[in-house]
Amino acid sequence: MILGIGSRIKHEKYGVGVVTNVSAKYYWVTFIDNGLETIEVDDDFEVIEAVEGEVDTVSFYEIEDIFKKLLHKYSDISEIVPIADKWKGGTIELQPKDSSLTSKEIPIDTFFHKIVMVRDRIRVMEQKINSSKVLEEQDKIDLQQYISRIYGSLTTFNVLFKNNDQNFKGTGGK
């Protein structure tokens, strides 16, 4: 009998785990202490709880991948954008000209997160404009030019991004 996805096993070498994918020859098992391992169907292990299933069932990984793609397509959930290592844990201090006023210190990670949120919301707005059925093509072009200028205005903050492919990119002086 081939175990189905969701079956729980105890392996002598890897410990307790859950079957997350199945083929005719292998189980992909996520073990509590050892992470994902591939073991042969006829490997020696104890079945704690068997779930019957067919070999061609959908894996947890495939379901997770589908959900990620759907969330990315239909929501404004942002990708993980790392801050450059040299800025991690740093602060930004806003010092007013008038010395009688109090300065403001902000964790740079918080500031960076806000910038990334602005970038992501501009991207969503750009997608909505481009997919609009109501706007004329010329209106879309005009609005896209404004968006490009907004990105250009924000390029100063590119120094905070760890990965250059996640930077703001403007019109480049065009």
Side-chain angles (χ1 to χ4, degrees):
M1 174 182 120
I2 293 184
L3 297 173
I5 293 172
S7 297
R8 296 186 323 134
I9 67 168
K10 183 175 183 181
H11 192 275
E12 186 176 309
K13 181 178 178 183
Y14 302 117
V16 176
V18 176
V19 176
T20 55
N21 200 358
V22 181
S23 73
K25 294 183 178 184
Y26 299 102
Y27 292 124
W28 284 262
V29 183
T30 302
F31 291 97
I32 294 170
D33 296 326
N34 292 292
L36 183 65
E37 295 288 342
T38 305
I39 62 173
E40 292 186 19
V41 170
D42 60 355
D43 203 346
D44 190 31
F45 55 84
E46 174 190 342
V47 177
I48 298 171
E49 180 182 345
V51 173
E52 291 185 28
E54 298 177 17
V55 175
D56 62 350
T57 56
V58 179
S59 71
F60 175 76
Y61 173 80
E62 291 169 313
I63 292 171
E64 183 180 41
D65 189 49
I66 290 167
F67 275 126
K68 283 180 185 176
K69 287 177 182 173
L70 286 170
L71 285 171
H72 181 72
K73 185 174 181 177
Y74 294 108
S75 74
D76 62 352
I77 294 175
S78 62
E79 64 184 315
I80 296 172
V81 181
I83 190 169
D85 292 337
K86 67 181 178 180
W87 302 113
K88 286 182 182 174
T91 59
I92 294 175
E93 185 176 354
L94 302 173
Q95 188 72 40
K97 182 178 180 181
D98 185 346
S99 60
S100 68
L101 299 173
T102 307
S103 64
K104 173 80 172 171
E105 194 171 283
I106 305 167
I108 201 162
D109 296 296
T110 302
F111 182 74
F112 179 70
H113 177 69
K114 301 282 186 188
I115 290 169
V116 170
M117 286 173 32
V118 167
R119 185 197 66 168
D120 291 343
R121 289 185 176 134
I122 293 169
R123 285 182 176 174
V124 170
M125 181 174 63
E126 184 176 24
Q127 290 171 355
K128 289 183 182 280
I129 289 168
N130 290 333
S131 65
S132 172
K133 305 280 189 249
V134 178
L135 293 171
E136 299 290 328
E137 280 307 308
Q138 187 58 50
D139 293 329
K140 290 181 184 182
I141 291 168
D142 292 343
L143 291 170
Q144 184 61 49
Q145 288 175 349
Y146 282 111
I147 289 172
S148 292
R149 288 186 209 125
I150 291 168
Y151 285 141
S153 299
L154 296 169
T155 58
T156 301
F157 300 114
N158 286 346
V159 68
L160 299 172
F161 289 85
K162 183 172 187 171
N163 303 319
N164 289 337
D165 63 329
Q166 295 174 321
N167 286 356
F168 290 105
K169 293 170 186 65
T171 56
K174 295 180 185 174

